[in-house]
Amino acid sequence: KDARLPFYEINGLIQQAPYTGRVFDGDSNETIPGVTVNIKGTQNGTVTEIDGSFEIDAQPGETLIIRAMGYTTQEVVLTEETNLDIFLATDSRQLDEVVVVGYGEQKRINLTGAVSTIGANEMRSRPITTIGEALQGQMPGVTVRNTSAQPGQRGNEIRIRGIGTLGDANPLVVIDGVPGGNLNILNPDDVESISVLKDAASSAIYGVRGANGVILVTTKRGKKGDSPTVSYSGYMGMQTPTAVPELLGSPEYMELLNESQLNVGRNPTYTQGDINIARSGEDPNYFANTNWMNEILRSSAPQQNHNVSINGGGENMSYYLSYGNLQEGGLVTGDNYKAERNNVRLRVNTQVIDKLDIDVNLGYVDRSYSGSSFGIGAASGPIYAANQILPLVPVRFTTGGWGYIGGQSNPVAVVTDGGTNDFSSQEFTGNVSARLELFDGFSVRGQYGLISSNSKRNIFTKTVDYFSPDDGSLIYQTNPINRIDSRDYVSTYQTFIATAEYDKTFNDIHDIKILAGASQEEFIGDNFTASRTHLVSQEVGHINLGTENQLNTGNASQNALQSLFGRVNYGLNNKYLAEVNFRYDGSSRFSPDVRWNMFTSASVGWIFSEESFFDNLRNVIESGKIRASYGTQGNDRVGSDFAYLSTYGPVNNTFPIGGNYTIGYRETGVPNSLLTWETMEKMNIGLDFQTLNGRLGIIADYYINNTRDILLVVPLPDVLGTGYPPQNAGMVRNEGWELGVSWRDQIREFRYGVSFNLSDVRNEVVSLGGVPPTFGDQVRLLGHPIDAFYGLVADRIAQPSDFDFNEETGVYTPNFPTIPGDPVQPGDIIYRDLDGDGEISLDTDRTVIGSPIPRYTYGLQLEAGWRGFDISLFIQGVGKANGLINGPGRHALINEGSMPQHIHLDRWTPENPNASYPRLTYQQSYNQRLSTFWLEDASYLRLKNLQIGYTLPSNLLSRLRINSMRVYASGDNLLTRTNFFYAYDPETPVSSGGFYPQVKTFILGVNFNLK
Amino acid sequence: CSEDYLDRVPLDAIVDETFWENEDQLILAVNAIYGNIKAKNTVDFENIGDNTLWPSTTAYLQIGSGNFNHDLATLNNEWRNMYAGIRQCNNFLENYEQAFVAVPERREILAAEVRVIRAYLYSYLSELFGDVPLVTTVLDIDELYGGRDPKEQVVEFVLTELQEAADILPAEIPSGNDLGRIRKGAALGLKARVALYNGFYDVAEVASQEVMNLGLYELYSNGDPSTSYNDLFTYSGRQARGNNRETMIARLHLEEINRHNLSREIQVPDQNARFNPTKSLVDSYLCIDGLPIDRSPLYSEESYEAIFENRDPRMSQTILAPGSPWGGRFDGNPDNDDPSVYTAPKFRSDRRGSVTVTGYYFTKYVEPSTVHQVTQDVNDIHVLRYAEVLLTYAEAKLELGSLTQSDLDISINLLRERVGMRPMVISELQANQLDLREEIRRERRVELALEGQRYFDIKRWRQGDLLAEDTKGVRRDLVLAQDEVANVQVDSDGYVVALTNRRFEDPKNYLWPVPLVQLERNPVLGQNPGW
């Protein structure tokens, strides 16, 4: 017999031996304490320790039953392997799940409002840098658009149930009970859960700021009685752009330029000889062949993230301390476009005396990002410039100096030597609360929150010289005068919140919960900017080193809010639920006469599965609930803090009277003392359903949100002579539905889950306060979505057969309607004459042709695990949306700064009548007016994340004192299916190009815990 | 809840009760108002006329060629910007008397400066749009829906205001800390212009005579007739230099801080020049013998260089002549390896030098030291100068039927004397069967080329047909680099056609349309004839 085996037969009897093992959460791969482990058919059993471990005497062939709250029960048939790692699938039956709601918590089963949640699991092991990215595709009704992937400045636009305002549509963010935090700088690794409050019932308690929905973020905390756990999670990986413009080389550029000039009766610039020189490369100074997009963009950039935390607790306290470091490299050439963030968080919960709980939660962020003085933006910066510069320009002349031919600066030179734009910021958040239980069911709580930030920006604009390769003379300078610009931004936000709560069940059938509270908060910001020119050296950029033009300016702002709020929940027999919320808000943004207002909501729920007539069905359908809510909320973000006051402010550098820099003063706008908030009225009906032993869960909602008194800057006749005051006018309606379905199951050791969400919102401007709309490429028109695209309807590209041709003069006369003045020729776009008057007019022949507001947003998450292996796949997309790229991002040769791209080879010529691009017309842009021809389909389906992980067996790790360890490979944005313009990501905002590209990120990472 | 907590005030602005208290505040308010005087935009208006062509599709080209509609943004921008300035002026004028000023005259002088700027803004509005709402008070948002007031009423208001301001303003050329301020001569000169524009020749005559009688102003000269005129529009002639007694209103700029881009736009190296002189302008310069090119034996078109020979000296100080220094780098002469000297027009967009579409470039208003840099130009933009007053005097006298040779000698012939051009002599004109009115108008066109007056002159002379003509350039066979123009469109006489398809409808194009958005917001405004 092999002595190493724990089993040995004595007289044919198999002796029992100790089985050891650990139980893990199949999603997070964290160990689970307190899990009961029983041998099937016996009374023998045990409970897992704090580190998830257990030991039980059993013999092969017996079956272990592992049960834990919130997980599906698993059975394991024992073999001769005595060291077991058991992964439990979470139970989608969320009956006992506790959800964070405004100023408190609520059991999901008792919710009467529309609340979506995600936990830390949904964010783990993804190369996300902001919470916004984590939310994308995860919840029905929450639409996230990632507009830029620039390091340190990832922009995401979060919209909850559409866009209910023509102003600021951002949801209110509440971090650990304190409103107004910055989601973009919070370390996703510190987040325990996120609740999104979507309807009036759940968000009315946030009153004047809840109209756009509320995002509640709860950070992690330690657990009382847990022994200290040290956790590390980290990854390293690479980003690559999802889409990059493909510019043509010099010979093709020259040919197309010639063609475009011939097309408009201009002389072609280049001779065949010139083109041959460019092709042969024999004149690398004046006929180079540079692919500027490749020069300005790197093929990949590094990204890494490390988080270390320690958490645990004693008898009366718990603690969580974490440090996170995130480093992002930039895709732009040179060393300037990169970012770093350091997050520290400490949370300590103590029970000081018997009934007093104190929660201290401190966060500190030190972050920085940099760029070149060139900046980056929708129509500026190096990427935009790469779209505009001739391929004939060399990056460097053969003499080694920066290349320059004409027209514009060399973008590689500027990002390399043209100076820097460095931003750094320190943000401190302090959040202290104390809760005192006065008597049974009655407690009071006080909370103080502070968010203080201190940021600095240094823009050092350096001179770049270009010297002639022929004689070394200075031929051009970018930023001929160097300059240093130092900016300082300071802001402080403070809030004090006091609440009292009473929670009691009477006679076992009446559940009553009452909350009342008061709060006040203020924000003060102060900015200062100073600049100087003529720095004596370009080596060091500090304000102290400039010698001329010492200028400075600044601005400051403040606002405050005071509120009373309350909530009453009543439940009868765990069947009938009712909830009432109110909030009475006063905002400093409005005149004292119209400063205060009340917002209320009411909601009811009926858990019909608790009714007696449901008794027979309960085996199949464990729970079912119908809920309905109605209420009002406000939006006080009017753009200006003092729109109700008449103020005078400085205007700098207007007219140098006396030959000096002058400052003038003028009225800043027309006040509107009647200005008050927008009111959103929200109706919601929802259904929650749990069936098939908790494996299937369904949540469905239907809602109508009407925003009234929209703060609208109503354009007025300009005889007014100043900016238009915001007025309360207009109405926008959002009507939509949401569906979330989840399925989770475990078949022996194979666990898997599917969750899917789909939502739609129809946005419609119902009223513009009687003011006629102003027409542009995007309009706000009655009966159409906000900022709908408005343009001509393109029919097709005109062919010679669409014209009468006069052989004598060689003139083509169109026999279709055109815009007077447009020199229309074969190869130009034919528009539809919508009003049939025989002429195309921008007045009468434009119509709504699309909308940028995404519809049919969806997410699909597939997860599976087997023993230590796990795989998950997350698909996300938009079913319907339009986008638009214009200017040099889309067009060729319409001006001297729009370089042809590969797609422009398929332009119309007599030989290529079925072209995808009209004929090229030098310095003409009449074909490029907004029409359906240029409107892009911005719908997409994206493999948002794919990850494969492996949790190492615990017997390997125990020697290293490692409690659990998972290694994984993960990728974000790996595949995208879209019909959008190839050069940009479908999430790119309407722009003329130049956006920092959206990235795919591939990472390798590891998580482990030490106990 | 305490109300105090919510009673916040702006931290970086002043609430209006605390403004309008002292002289310093008045000066600050006036400083802001001066910002409403047009800067380079003054010159941009030249693109609408027939002196120059901005070759890409700009709003000015569209307006000048008649191919535009009332939705064109530029129309609305002008409307909006003018009324923005007017509100600032009205606000000042309604409130300035509240301020305590130790010497009340100083307060009144500031107010008079503001009134002149308001009149200046209204003069643009009435010229461009005809009837416009005459707003002289600070409007509340429920007072915006009135109709337009007749142009005549607006003009009358402007003329009255300018006279009343002139009566208050000191007669001086401002210098030192007052450099750039509007003074009596500016108010009267502007009055003369507005009167002339509107056919009040008697008023124009008197006003210009009054300016001349002030004895303050004189034509700028550096002593050299061959450069004096050109110098006025370079850094040499900047008011800040202290030796320019000609310019009466200028939009000043400041080194490194408050700059424009005009010099570069005129001769932009390596791109298409934005300002391309037209054949029409080039042809309007007389020969040195005082005869038009079609009459003078001195005129020759046998070469590009010949066109510039024996002409009014202002021509080569306005239009870039071969052999002149320029900032446009490599020209259309492959054998010219000196990028600082211009020899031949360049038609080829190879980014090595400034490209022309007409075969001509400007040199007027070019400060060569700033051409190679974007937006580094601090040239004064001349809004009103004494030369115009003299031209106005002569034209007003002519239209009144009282023009004499001595009138010409104290006006137009001073302009000619500055540059060494043969004087205008009525008897000579008659002998040569030249029309006096035509010659006076020619003088105005030549002297004020590129100063933003031409479009308004064409309109008031009812010569709209000129704007329907093709915009032409040099004769193609005179271009040195023939390969660069092989494909260029020419007319039957071989002249380059730079822009065709221009339209001008009478009366429609004599006024801009009321901008679409203004009409939408207030239909009571009504539309101009033909639109």
Side-chain angles (χ1 to χ4, degrees), chain A residues 357-398:
Chain A
D357 292 310
I358 292 179
D359 180 356
V360 177
N361 189 345
L362 308 176
Y364 178 74
V365 185
D366 185 334
R367 65 194 174 104
S368 62
Y369 57 80
S370 55
S372 79
S373 62
F374 218 170
I376 215 154
S380 64
I383 299 172
Y384 189 70
N387 259 328
Q388 294 192 299
I389 188 166
L390 295 181
L392 292 163
V393 182
V395 175
R396 286 181 184 274
F397 287 128
T398 49

Side-chain angles (χ1 to χ4, degrees), chain B residues 145-191:
Chain B
Y145 296 92
R148 293 192 282 163
D149 296 300
K151 183 181 179 188
E152 295 70 34
Q153 190 184 331
V154 177
V155 170
E156 193 192 319
F157 170 77
V158 167
L159 294 175
T160 311
E161 284 287 296
L162 288 171
Q163 186 58 55
E164 287 179 18
D167 293 342
I168 295 166
L169 289 166
E172 62 175 17
I173 292 181
S175 60
N177 284 337
D178 286 334
L179 182 78
R181 287 196 178 277
I182 284 170
R183 290 297 177 245
K184 184 190 284 286
L188 291 171
L190 206 52
K191 185 184 176 197

Side-chain angles (χ1 to χ4, degrees), chain B residues 284 286 290-292 412 416 424 429 434-444:
Chain B
S284 67
L286 296 172
L291 293 174
I412 283 173
R416 292 198 172 188
M424 184 186 284
L429 297 179
L434 294 175
D435 178 47
L436 182 57
R437 176 178 282 121
E438 196 180 315
E439 293 310 308
I440 292 212
R441 289 179 176 180
R442 179 199 303 279
E443 192 71 21
R444 186 176 174 91

Side-chain angles (χ1 to χ4, degrees), chain A residues 607-654:
Chain A
I607 306 173
F608 56 83
S609 55
E610 293 295 314
E611 295 289 353
S612 53
F613 62 77
F614 219 78
D615 285 348
N616 296 332
L617 281 167
R618 205 162 295 129
N619 291 336
V620 190
I621 298 171
E622 296 99 30
S623 96
K625 179 176 68 180
I626 294 173
R627 53 195 158 72
S629 71
Y630 174 85
T632 56
Q633 286 174 279
N635 182 9
D636 72 342
R637 278 171 284 193
V638 299
S640 158
D641 281 337
F642 297 100
Y644 74 93
L645 281 179
S646 169
T647 59
Y648 282 74
V651 275
N652 295 332
N653 193 17
T654 54

